Amino acid sequence: MLGVLGAIYLVHLAATISPGPAVLLCARTSLREGFARGSWLAVGIGLGACIWAMAALFGLALLFQIAPALLTTLKFAGAAYLLYLAIKMWRHAPDPLDEALPETKAPRSPLGLIWLGIATQLANPKPAVFFGTIFLTFVPPHAPAWLYAAILGIVFFNDAGWNVIVSRIFSLERTRRAYLNLKSTIDRVFGGLLGLLGLKLAIS
């Protein structure tokens, strides 16, 4: 069973590191609001990944194969949400950023950031298909309950852990100073990339 867990860990870690909407949002949040708030968002991202993993374990990936219209509907709904976030970033790019330290600003609540991370993950239903594929490949039939719990732990550790690292990098003072100098341009780049990922989700 350790071989199964090791294989799932490596395959999922490779997928987690690849840039996507969650990583972009985590980087921008950390730039604007600091490491602590970026970390709360990372927790939500990890929980969102676990929800898709649990859905795959309970057969949602198989349901998508049987009823592809459901997957298409969820993809369009998720793409609309990502485009909404992208438009907000683009529109507010010229807005000045409070120069106060992130720790002294009125923060978004940890719970609000966790929910944002979950919503961003759930906006893309394709992880359910990804998880379904790797579970069918690596998880033996009639696996014990502890193995499923360990898999969910790996999923949370990879997604939350990687985005905490992203948060740390983008919350560094040197990174923040560079962002302040090019805020409008960087925010529009983030918004544009998020919009492109939303469009890619809709047409893929």
Side-chain angles (χ1 to χ4, degrees):
M1 293 300 180
L2 290 179
V4 170
L5 293 176
I8 291 175
Y9 170 79
L10 292 174
V11 172
H12 179 246
L13 181 62
T16 300
I17 291 174
S18 61
V23 173
L24 283 176
L25 196 60
C26 201
R28 185 174 182 269
T29 298
S30 302
L31 277 170
R32 294 175 62 90
E33 302 179 39
F35 174 61
R37 279 149 219 155
S39 296
W40 283 115
L41 182 66
V43 170
I45 291 168
L47 291 174
C50 286
I51 291 173
W52 281 130
M54 285 190 291
L57 287 172
F58 285 102
L60 184 59
L62 180 60
L63 179 59
F64 285 158
Q65 294 178 7
I66 297 171
L70 175 61
L71 176 59
T72 301
T73 300
L74 290 175
K75 282 169 56 177
F76 277 115
Y81 176 72
L82 294 178
L83 288 171
Y84 163 75
L85 292 179
I87 291 169
K88 279 185 64 177
M89 285 186 194
W90 187 276
R91 287 182 60 189
H92 293 286
D95 295 352
L97 180 68
D98 186 354
E99 289 293 330
L101 290 174
E103 290 75 11
T104 65
K105 292 164 60 177
R108 289 187 284 183
S109 70
L111 184 60
L113 288 164
I114 290 172
W115 279 114
L116 177 60
I118 292 172
T120 303
Q121 280 286 54
L122 296 186
N124 182 5
K126 293 172 73 175
V129 178
F130 166 77
F131 284 126
T133 301
I134 63 171
F135 293 162
L136 286 172
T137 302
F138 296 112
V139 179
H142 311 297
W146 69 263
L147 182 64
Y148 293 125
I151 289 170
L152 293 178
I154 287 172
V155 170
F156 179 81
F157 177 81
N158 279 348
D159 266 278
W162 172 247
N163 283 285
V164 166
I165 293 172
V166 170
S167 296
R168 185 63 189 132
I169 293 170
F170 282 88
S171 65
L172 294 172
E173 184 58 31
R174 180 179 297 179
T175 312
R176 180 176 163 79
R177 284 199 303 268
Y179 169 69
L180 289 173
N181 291 332
L182 296 168
K183 176 188 175 300
S184 181
T185 300
I186 292 173
D187 277 4
R188 283 185 170 147
V189 168
F190 274 121
L193 289 173
L194 196 59
L196 288 174
L197 288 169
L199 291 174
K200 180 182 177 183
L201 174 61
I203 64 178
S204 62

